[in-house]
Amino acid sequence: MQSRLLALGLVSVCLLWSVLVGAADAPIAKDSPAELKVANRSIMVFRATVLGEVPESRVKRARVVINEALDEAGDMTVTVDPAQNNYLVLLGAKRAFIVSPDDVDTVEYASIQQAAESAAQKLRQVVAETREARTLHLMLKALAAAALATVIYVALLWGMAALRRRLHKRLPELMHRHTQALKVGETQVIDASYLYALLSRLFWLLRWVIVLLLTYEWVGFVLSRFPYTRPWGESLNNYLLDVARYLLEGIIGAIPGLGIALAIFFIARGITAFSRRVLRRLAIPGTVSWLNHETLQPTTRLTSLAIWLFALAMAYPYLPGAGTDAFKGLSVLIGLMISLGASSVVGQAAAGLILTYTRTLRPGEFVRIGEYEGTVTELGMFTTRIRTGLGEVLTLPNSLITGTVTKNYSRTVQGPGYVVDTVVTIGYDTPWRQVEAMLLEAAKRTPGILEDPPPQVFQTALSDFYPEYRLVAQAIPSQPRPRAVLLSVLHGHIQDVFNEYGVQIMSPHYLGDPRDEKVVARDKWFTAPAEEPKEP
């Protein structure tokens, strides 16, 4: 007790002298912080210069005093005594170090006394661990615990390897049995060969995650058994607990926002179903002029898209991680992609809406778009598909359709079907009434051309060398041929009828009439290798 009082008196005299010379009022010239670590455990971080000693010198002096006291194994009671504005941390009768006000991290500690008590508690732990390290039965107990943990760790690894081998043997049989049950009609939904590779990779990843966790826990437990390595083990365990706590707090903290986002999505789903029913009622003929059976589906899709985009914008702030840098970067990336590709995409979509709501085209109609001719098979948001008479399927951008002239051969017909027309040019020396009658006869002989409405012939031009006759008739798509085949048959009948009546088809320019008429006699119509059709 007397030695402690003597030490306190000496320290007080030194501090009073420093006040007189002006060192105590500026005890703390800011310098590089230095950490005091004893037996691999952090005790205190010095940040100030006290009694002329910089933080590094204070660390060296405190380490020497503490090590000497631990080596002497005398009185190792750790106490804290105030000395003016500072606190002394004593190890037995020796001063271990001084805690100055400027050494305190105000974020971590509320006062200098709390910082000094914390440093003293860590020093007491160092003293206890030093005694433990010098006790034989405690070290043997730590070795036994580490050996037992190692045996359990190896056993778990061996068990995982055995389970993995058994699972790999039974996995093909299990997958084959369950994938055979997943069928739609006679079609198997999932291929077992692809599923096996996927599950193998998932099990491999799961196995290594478990191995790493077991290894992490084993290393942390073994290091925590021995005094010198205990700080390392505690830091490993604390890090894992901090990560788990962070994840758990994040999950719990995201539940309210996630609930609000789900509520918004459920409300959007209800509004979408309600709007679908309303639009279906409005599509009844005589209710709304622009909404009918053709425009009902795209209008429903656009309405649903607008509702869900609005719901997504409302729910975005409540989604987990919406305020993180990752979400912000993703938003910037999506905005950049949309801005770069919006011009063409939005233009095609707008052209698709124009075609839909102006009802320029309908599926099943026969049209001519620029130089392309065929039956409309699909009218989409961005493209339109038509099937030509030769069996080709053409995909045309909607912007091309809105920017060119479109001829619709099905819109003016009576009932189902489309318009078939062809042009012939016959000289002025042939009576025009005869030409019209022959064209009508050829149309009458062509299967697939309707008698009602009857075909018509128009004289569309009186050129320099011949009149131009256009035959216009109506055909039905379900009748036996597509348009290209039907036109081919019609052209054949036109040639046959004109040959029967001895009329030449002299469309090219000529300088004089030929010596012999350019017609094919009936007995030569089926000259080899042509074969005359058999009578049914």
Side-chain angles (χ1 to χ4, degrees):
M1 187 64 181
Q2 292 179 354
S3 59
R4 180 179 297 180
L5 293 176
L6 181 59
L8 287 174
L10 291 175
V11 171
S12 300
V13 171
C14 292
L15 290 175
L16 181 59
W17 175 255
S18 64
V19 171
L20 294 175
V21 298
D25 289 336
I28 316 151
K30 291 291 182 180
D31 211 326
S32 298
E35 182 182 13
L36 173 60
K37 296 184 70 173
V38 179
N40 205 27
R41 186 173 292 279
S42 178
I43 305 297
M44 182 73 186
V45 176
F46 297 140
R47 296 179 173 84
T49 301
V50 178
L51 300 178
E53 290 185 340
V54 297
E56 188 66 31
S57 300
R58 292 173 63 193
V59 168
K60 292 180 181 179
R61 182 186 179 284
R63 188 179 293 119
V64 170
V65 173
I66 294 172
N67 288 333
E68 288 179 355
L70 295 176
D71 292 338
E72 292 175 1
D75 182 13
M76 291 191 290
T77 304
V78 180
T79 57
V80 178
D81 290 331
Q84 293 186 359
N85 295 329
N86 306 295
Y87 278 84
L88 303 178
V89 178
L90 304 176
L91 181 56
K94 297 182 179 180
R95 185 195 73 183
F97 52 85
I98 300 174
V99 179
S100 174
D102 284 347
D103 289 329
V104 179
D105 186 359
T106 57
V107 176
E108 185 176 0
Y109 301 106
S111 63
I112 182 176
Q113 182 179 3
Q114 185 180 359
E117 291 291 347
S118 176
Q121 182 60 35
K122 294 177 182 178
L123 185 57
R124 293 187 189 100
Q125 190 173 3
V126 170
V127 172
E129 290 175 347
T130 302
R131 290 173 178 172
E132 180 183 349
R134 296 173 181 175
T135 305
L136 180 60
H137 75 277
L138 293 179
M139 294 302 297
L140 292 176
K141 184 178 179 181
L143 286 173
L148 179 61
T150 303
V151 171
I152 295 174
Y153 169 71
V154 173
L156 290 175
L157 293 182
W158 181 86
M160 286 184 55
L163 179 62
R164 176 174 172 270
R165 287 192 295 269
R166 287 190 60 186
L167 189 61
H168 272 278
K169 289 181 180 179
R170 296 196 58 187
L171 189 59
E173 179 185 353
L174 292 174
M175 285 191 308
H176 181 73
R177 183 195 312 165
H178 290 287
T179 53
Q180 288 296 325
L182 296 175
K183 289 185 177 181
V184 177
E186 296 298 328
T187 304
Q188 187 170 334
V189 178
I190 301 176
D191 191 351
S193 59
Y194 295 105
L195 186 61
Y196 180 79
L198 177 62
L199 289 179
S200 298
R201 291 182 180 274
L202 289 177
F203 285 139
W204 177 84
L205 179 62
L206 180 62
R207 169 177 171 252
W208 278 108
V209 169
I210 296 175
V211 167
L212 291 176
L213 286 176
L214 289 175
T215 305
Y216 190 94
E217 286 295 327
W218 172 76
V219 172
F221 179 83
V222 171
L223 293 178
S224 299
R225 297 307 95 197
F226 303 97
Y228 186 79
T229 59
R230 188 167 296 157
W232 298 341
E234 291 175 353
S235 63
L236 290 177
N237 294 330
N238 291 335
Y239 177 76
L240 189 60
L241 291 176
D242 291 340
V243 171
R245 187 183 303 109
Y246 173 77
L247 294 176
L248 184 60
E249 290 176 354
I251 294 173
I252 295 175
I255 289 176
L258 189 60
I260 295 175
L262 290 176
I264 293 174
F265 289 142
F266 277 117
I267 293 173
R269 181 181 178 184
I271 296 176
T272 302
F274 176 75
S275 66
R276 189 180 299 115
R277 290 193 293 270
V278 171
L279 290 173
R280 193 179 298 118
R281 289 177 179 271
L282 294 176
I284 298 175
T287 305
V288 180
S289 59
W290 58 269
L291 189 60
N292 51 28
H293 177 71
E294 298 174 1
T295 58
L296 175 61
Q297 184 176 4
T299 304
T300 303
R301 290 180 178 177
L302 289 175
T303 305
S304 300
L305 179 62
I307 293 172
W308 281 108
L309 288 177
F310 182 76
L312 181 61
M314 293 291 294
Y316 177 82
Y318 300 101
L319 294 177
T324 60
D325 294 337
F327 259 71
K328 295 177 182 178
L330 182 62
S331 302
V332 172
L333 177 61
I334 294 176
L336 182 61
M337 293 173 61
I338 292 176
S339 62
L340 291 177
S343 57
S344 60
V345 173
V346 173
Q348 296 291 349
L353 293 177
I354 293 173
L355 294 178
T356 299
Y357 286 99
T358 58
R359 286 173 277 182
T360 305
L361 305 175
R362 296 174 186 170
E365 293 182 339
F366 195 91
V367 297
R368 182 178 183 85
I369 303 170
E371 59 181 4
Y372 308 107
E373 185 178 278
T375 303
V376 179
T377 59
E378 181 182 347
L379 182 60
M381 178 66 72
F382 302 103
T383 59
T384 296
R385 288 185 174 89
I386 63 173
R387 185 180 65 250
T388 66
L390 300 177
E392 303 169 332
V393 176
L394 305 180
T395 301
L396 305 178
N398 287 336
S399 59
L400 172 66
I401 301 174
T402 57
T404 189
V405 176
T406 300
K407 295 181 180 180
N408 195 322
Y409 294 101
S410 302
R411 192 60 58 87
T412 59
V413 300
Q414 299 178 7
Y418 57 90
V419 172
V420 176
D421 63 331
T422 187
V423 176
V424 294
T425 54
I426 307 299
Y428 284 102
D429 54 345
T430 303
W432 62 267
R433 294 176 180 84
Q434 182 186 15
V435 175
E436 288 188 5
M438 288 188 294
L439 290 175
L440 294 176
E441 177 64 23
K444 183 178 179 180
R445 294 183 184 182
T446 304
I449 292 182
L450 299 178
E451 296 181 1
D452 186 22
Q456 293 180 293
V457 177
F458 301 92
Q459 296 188 44
T460 57
L462 298 177
S463 301
D464 293 338
F465 300 96
Y466 41 69
E468 182 179 287
Y469 301 90
R470 180 180 293 270
L471 172 63
V472 180
Q474 182 174 338
I476 299 179
S478 59
Q479 288 285 328
R481 316 178 165 82
R483 178 180 168 87
V485 178
L486 186 65
L487 282 175
S488 177
V489 175
L490 176 62
H491 291 159
H493 284 300
I494 290 175
Q495 295 182 65
D496 290 343
V497 172
F498 275 62
N499 285 326
E500 288 177 5
Y501 290 97
V503 176
Q504 305 179 77
I505 302 177
M506 295 293 292
S507 296
H509 297 176
Y510 64 94
L511 299 177
D513 292 330
R515 178 183 302 176
D516 300 323
E517 294 184 349
K518 301 300 181 182
V519 296
V520 180
R522 186 179 184 86
D523 58 350
K524 295 183 179 180
W525 284 6
F526 300 101
T527 304
E531 295 182 1
E532 185 174 357
K534 296 180 181 180
E535 294 294 335

